[in-house]
């Protein structure tokens, strides 16, 4: 896992540097922005490598839920870096287009892009195979991200081809503009994903239906409600109320609550922790501020 990450970091760093330098020398904004987009992948991989030991720290008195959210904080910071990088390319390309300062692009831009596409394909293939072998979703996601990079580079190549064939140097900053918009869009996506976790949201609200179904399967457990879930890493931390027959002995009621926990763990894959609160059947709450139930789903 660590070895694969380092291969990816070094391979991407080389390709990104190649494109940034070539972009500057050849005067191709599209190649430069492609290089900056690859640089953002390098930063992402490095942040994952740095955050991993923090994420893996066992829970302690200060952080009883562990420290997995370090990853989301890192991603948030990263999203700002990528966002401003995207804005920078956008401003540079638009300036070039509007001031008509479009210059001829030299041929080495084409070679750098071809090398970059070949290199990325090899890296993506390597990552995807490793990801399949150890079934790491993070590595697989990374491989998909690299595929998108190949698409970007292919677009750059197409633009460069047209530039040389049809003598239309304006295409270069136009493609750079499109890439910058993609970079900004992905930065916003990273920010939203990270903040959903930091703000105690759930990615997929259908989890509440799963919880209700799992709880109702248990004999003696009624009316699951005030269900709250949030993420610890990619796992669910779940709290819910159930009702049981008010005349049951405590040991029996507790056994039902335990069964509810087991049933939820069986139907949902990544459960970090479940807390079940028991109430006598028909118990009426004061106004409930939080949580999901059949009524509000
Ligand atoms: Zn309740």
């Amino acid at each position: 896992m660590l070895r694969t990450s380092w291969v990816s970091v070094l391979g991407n760093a080389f390709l990104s540097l190649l494109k940034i330098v070539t972009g500057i020398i050849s005067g191709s904004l599209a190649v430069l922005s492609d290089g900056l987009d690859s640089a953002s992948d390098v930063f992402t991989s490095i942040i994952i490598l740095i955050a991993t030991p923090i994420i893996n720290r066992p829970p302690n008195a200060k952080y009883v839920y562990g420290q997995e959210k370090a990853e989301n904080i890192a991603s948030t910071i990263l999203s700002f870096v990528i966002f401003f990088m995207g804005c920078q390319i956008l401003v540079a390309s638009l300036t070039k287009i509007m001031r008509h300062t479009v210059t001829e692009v030299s041929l080495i831009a084409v070679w750098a892009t071809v090398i970059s596409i070949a290199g990325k394909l090899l890296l993506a293939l390597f990552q995807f195979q490793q990801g399949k072998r150890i079934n790491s979703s993070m590595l697989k996601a990374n491989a998909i991200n690299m595929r998108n990079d190949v698409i970007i580079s292919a677009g750059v190549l197409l633009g460069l081809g047209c530039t040389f064939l049809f003598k239309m140097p304006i295409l270069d900053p136009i493609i750079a503009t499109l890439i910058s918009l993609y970079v900004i869009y992905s930065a916003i996506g990273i920010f939203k994903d990270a903040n959903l976790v930091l703000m105690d949201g759930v990615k997929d609200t259908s989890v509440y239906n799963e919880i209700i179904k799992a709880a109702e399967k248990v004999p003696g457990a009624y009316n699951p409600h005030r269900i709250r879930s949030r993420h610890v890493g990619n796992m669910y931390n779940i709290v819910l109320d159930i009702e049981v027959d008010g005349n049951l002995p405590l040991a029996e009621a507790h056994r039902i609550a335990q069964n509810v926990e087991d049933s939820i763990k069986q139907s949902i894959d990544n459960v970090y922790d479940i807390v079940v609160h028991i109430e006598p059947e028909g118990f009426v709450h004061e106004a409930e501020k939080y949580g999901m139930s059949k009524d509000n789903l």
Side-chain angles (χ1 to χ4, degrees):
M1 170 77 172
L2 215 58
R3 193 180 60 113
T4 315
S5 301
W6 278 112
V7 168
S8 147
V9 168
L10 292 177
N12 275 313
F14 171 74
L15 292 178
S16 128
L17 206 65
L18 178 80
K19 281 183 282 190
I20 290 172
V21 171
T22 310
I24 293 170
I25 295 174
S26 70
S28 166
L29 261 182
V31 174
L32 179 63
S33 55
D34 184 9
L36 288 175
D37 176 59
S38 301
S40 70
D41 296 345
V42 178
F43 295 144
T44 310
S45 310
I46 290 176
I47 276 184
I48 289 171
L49 285 170
I50 293 173
T52 300
I54 302 175
I55 292 164
N56 289 339
R57 276 182 204 160
N60 59 33
K62 214 169 190 175
Y63 297 101
V64 283
Y65 287 111
Q67 298 180 40
E68 306 224 14
K69 285 183 180 168
E71 185 186 349
N72 309 109
I73 294 173
S75 302
T76 305
I77 298 169
L78 188 76
S79 72
F80 280 94
V81 175
I82 297 175
F83 181 80
F84 285 111
M85 221 160 61
C87 289
Q88 204 122 44
I89 311 169
L90 184 65
V91 170
S93 338
L94 289 181
T95 312
K96 226 177 179 181
I97 293 170
M98 285 192 292
R99 288 195 187 149
H100 299 290
T101 49
V102 179
T103 42
E104 289 283 321
V105 171
S106 75
L107 205 62
I108 47 164
V110 176
W111 290 113
T113 307
V114 170
I115 293 172
S116 158
I117 291 174
K120 279 270 182 182
L121 281 175
L122 278 176
L123 280 173
L125 202 69
F126 176 68
Q127 286 235 316
F128 192 70
Q129 272 179 345
Q130 298 286 318
K132 226 168 32 186
R133 197 165 54 94
I134 55 179
N135 199 22
S136 155
S137 58
M138 202 168 75
L139 285 183
K140 272 186 196 163
N142 213 348
I144 289 168
N145 178 33
M146 284 176 136
R147 188 201 61 194
N148 294 343
D149 292 352
V150 170
I151 295 172
I152 289 182
S153 292
V156 172
L157 192 62
L158 193 73
L160 287 172
C162 292
T163 304
F164 286 112
L165 282 179
F166 308 121
K167 299 275 173 252
M168 287 173 71
I170 187 88
L171 274 173
D172 188 72
I174 288 176
I175 286 173
T177 304
L178 294 178
I179 296 175
S180 70
L181 291 176
Y182 172 77
V183 169
I184 291 169
Y185 170 77
S186 59
I188 293 171
I190 295 171
F191 181 82
K192 278 165 99 177
D193 274 359
N195 274 267
L196 180 120
V197 176
L198 291 176
M199 291 179 71
D200 289 336
V202 292
K203 279 181 196 134
D204 181 5
T205 52
S206 73
V207 72
Y208 288 111
N209 283 318
E210 297 291 317
I211 294 170
I212 289 172
K213 258 192 262 163
E216 284 181 333
K217 254 191 246 165
V218 176
Y222 311 116
N223 187 24
H225 62 281
R226 213 155 61 116
I227 312 167
R228 287 141 285 164
S229 181
R230 47 183 157 167
H231 290 287
V232 175
N234 58 1
M235 295 186 292
Y236 291 104
N237 199 10
I238 299 163
V239 182
L240 75 155
D241 288 9
I242 57 164
E243 293 179 7
V244 300
D245 177 354
N247 298 315
L248 285 179
L250 175 62
E252 185 64 17
H254 175 257
R255 197 182 55 77
I256 293 172
Q258 197 75 53
N259 290 344
V260 168
E261 283 185 30
D262 292 342
S263 174
I264 292 172
K265 278 178 187 162
Q266 253 168 33
S267 59
I268 298 170
D269 278 338
N270 323 306
V271 174
Y272 182 82
D273 190 28
I274 306 173
V275 176
V276 181
H277 173 80
I278 309 173
E279 293 161 359
E281 214 179 337
F283 177 81
V284 179
H285 275 279
E286 290 180 34
E288 286 183 7
K289 212 169 157 188
Y290 313 107
M292 305 304 290
S293 67
K294 261 187 178 165
D295 304 332
N296 58 6
L297 259 177

